[in-house]
């Protein structure tokens, strides 16, 4: 259901931005991408704050896929 999707997305964000990875010398992907949430005492809150400040732009294809025929 919806809660499973929320938890899956939360874990994906943790893994892709906050969790240190051995393959990049113990750094986080956020550090490698230059996002810089490591300085914040609450990495989750900082990542969310930045995502709300700069929401991803939807493509024309994504928007038209939502429009009923």
């Amino acid at each position: 259901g919806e809660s499973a999707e929320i938890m899956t997305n939360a874990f994906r964000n943790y893994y892709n931005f906050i969790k240190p990875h051995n393959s990049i010398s113990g750094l986080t992907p956020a550090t490698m991408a230059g996002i810089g949430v490591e300085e914040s005492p609450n990495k989750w809150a900082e990542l969310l704050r930045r995502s709300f400040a700069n929401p991803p732009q939807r493509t024309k294809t994504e928007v038209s896929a939502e429009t009923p025929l």
Side-chain angles (χ1 to χ4, degrees):
E2 186 178 336
S3 61
E5 183 177 345
I6 291 169
M7 292 303 295
T8 300
N9 288 337
F11 179 77
R12 184 179 304 116
N13 287 328
Y14 166 74
Y15 185 85
N16 288 334
F17 294 99
I18 298 171
K19 180 186 182 298
H21 288 254
N22 289 333
S23 62
I24 52 176
S25 302
L27 298 174
T28 67
T31 299
M32 292 298 293
I35 295 172
V37 296
E38 284 70 26
E39 299 84 38
S40 176
N42 188 335
K43 294 175 184 69
W44 280 103
E46 182 63 17
L47 188 61
L48 287 172
R49 185 188 69 73
R50 290 179 187 209
S51 69
F52 288 124
N54 300 297
Q57 300 299 310
R58 296 181 345 177
T59 66
K60 185 176 180 179
T61 304
E62 290 171 324
V63 172
S64 63
E66 295 173 1
T67 306
L69 298 175

